[in-house]
Amino acid sequence: MSNLLTSRQADELHKSLIAYLTATGLSNTAAALRQELGIGDSFDDATRKKYEGLLEKKWTSVVRLQKKIMDLESRNTALQSELDSATPTSLSRRNQDPAAWLPRSPARHTLQSHRQPITCVAFHPVFSSLASGSEDTTIKIWDWELGELERTVKGHTKGVLDVDFGGPRGGTLLASCSSDLTIKLWDPSDEYKNIRTLPGHDHSISAIRFIPSGAAGAPLSGNLLASASRDKTIRVWDVTTGYCVKTIRGHVDWVRDISPSFDGRWLLSAGNDQTARLWDAGSGEAKITFVGHEHVVECCVFAPPASYAHLSALAGLKKPPTPSSSAEFIATGGRDKSIRLWDCRGTLIKTLLGHDNWVRALVFHPGGKYLLSCGDDKTIRCWDLSQEGKCVKTIEDAHAHFVSCMRWAPSIVKDAPPTNGETNGTNAKRKEESGGGGGGAGVCIRCVIATGSVDLNVRVFAS
């Protein structure tokens, strides 16, 4: 011991041992130790009190430090793995190229105010507003740049299951859906006043998305909203009148998710019947059923045109489809812990395995190279489509509980008029899915992701 400790440290350790033994009632052992060490009457009650508890404090601090060292080693391993899987080009470009940006821990902001698990998040297409919905029946509006709560929106009587920004020319709206069987429309320009309630579904409404303008022969372009419900139907609504203009039937169980293509021509849905389905948004006609998952399909997204080159290579095609073509590739994720990539004919291209629990949300990187996923294993995973879907990054413990939802901030269209209308507003639906051109000319990718969790927190990951 003399080789490891100074005489002062050794003396402190001995006295701490005697104090510990005395405090735990081992007086004979304490007396024997005092005798062997030659510590006599100088070790009185005052000295004992001074050293009492010191041994336990040192012990617990060592355990804490050991845990910290293990966490740092784990983080170091993850970063090393990220470096190993990156190419020299991506390393040199990652800091300045938004198309190569991936989220990293820790989050820039952790937003706390909800009292029940968070079910959904959505970004305003223009401003730095972020909406989150929760089982506590409220919608919270945050400023994601400042990390501050702006307001709480109340109106639903049961849990809010999904939110989305979008709407007709001239005014972005916020839509929400709930277990109370209603969809509500809120006006962000009028302090989020509830301007319309849409009843019609017979059970919980799981998902809603504004349908972007541009659908051929659709006179109501920009005014349409799609919803998916536990009543097994998909409904299309005209938000200016509040009428349901179409009811689409085909799923034989709860429809969990709905996603429109970037041009508004197609709808993609997924649900408890373990399938995803592609629909013609104009006619409501079923086009393709994607069969292969072995459990409930929780989420589905269209691939943006920016990812066509990588997905075409995965599919073995000689050249990618034209960027103006929509619904060429899709991704689905489910309770079988898998993510599946499909082509427009319903052929399975690739199965991505890595999650240890249900996959709850999927987001394509607007740059087209990556697919991001999150799930009940508390992680966010980044899959590189240019490396045959290899998982190149995992954010362990992105939340302390199940990660229930994830959205990418919609890209900003440069030189576009700063209205809340069609230019940006109607593509507030997952622009991360449509890509808005995927970071092409005139499109500025925002490197911001929001996630929500059962841990009651919304987290914002930003560059």
Side-chain angles (χ1 to χ4, degrees), residues 135-155:
E135 290 176 15
D136 65 12
T137 77
T138 70
I139 301 162
K140 304 271 183 185
I141 308 297
W142 314 83
D143 185 316
W144 59 258
E145 283 187 331
L146 300 176
E148 294 175 356
L149 178 65
E150 289 184 344
R151 70 176 64 244
T152 299
V153 180
K154 295 179 180 179

Side-chain angles (χ1 to χ4, degrees), residues 61-75:
S61 68
V62 165
V63 172
R64 269 201 313 274
L65 285 168
Q66 281 178 327
K67 185 178 185 307
K68 198 167 184 180
I69 288 167
M70 287 167 70
D71 288 344
L72 286 169
E73 285 178 342
S74 172
R75 173 123 176 89

Side-chain angles (χ1 to χ4, degrees), residues 19 22 54 69 79 87 139 148 184 224 226 237 267 304 308 310 355 359 381 406 418 433 437:
T22 306
L54 185 61
I69 288 167
L79 289 170
T87 62
I139 301 162
E148 294 175 356
K184 288 183 181 287
L224 299 180
W237 310 81
L267 291 174
Y308 287 0
H310 306 300
H355 279 285
V359 179
R381 294 175 189 263
M406 175 170 58
E433 295 155 20

Side-chain angles (χ1 to χ4, degrees), residues 112-132:
Q112 298 176 316
S113 181
H114 281 293
R115 296 169 180 265
Q116 291 287 327
I118 289 150
T119 54
C120 51
V121 288
F123 285 95
H124 191 285
V126 180
F127 306 122
S128 59
S129 295
L130 173 71
S132 61

Side-chain angles (χ1 to χ4, degrees), residues 172-220:
T172 295
L173 301 175
L174 174 67
S176 61
C177 63
S178 167
S179 300
D180 66 11
L181 315 190
T182 67
I183 295 165
K184 288 183 181 287
L185 300 174
W186 316 83
D187 186 357
S189 65
D190 189 12
E191 300 186 332
Y192 287 89
K193 179 183 175 183
N194 180 207
I195 57 169
R196 189 163 273 116
T197 297
L198 313 179
H201 277 293
D202 300 325
H203 214 316
S204 297
I205 305 161
S206 318
I208 45 167
R209 286 293 178 275
F210 281 97
I211 299 175
S213 57
L220 297 171

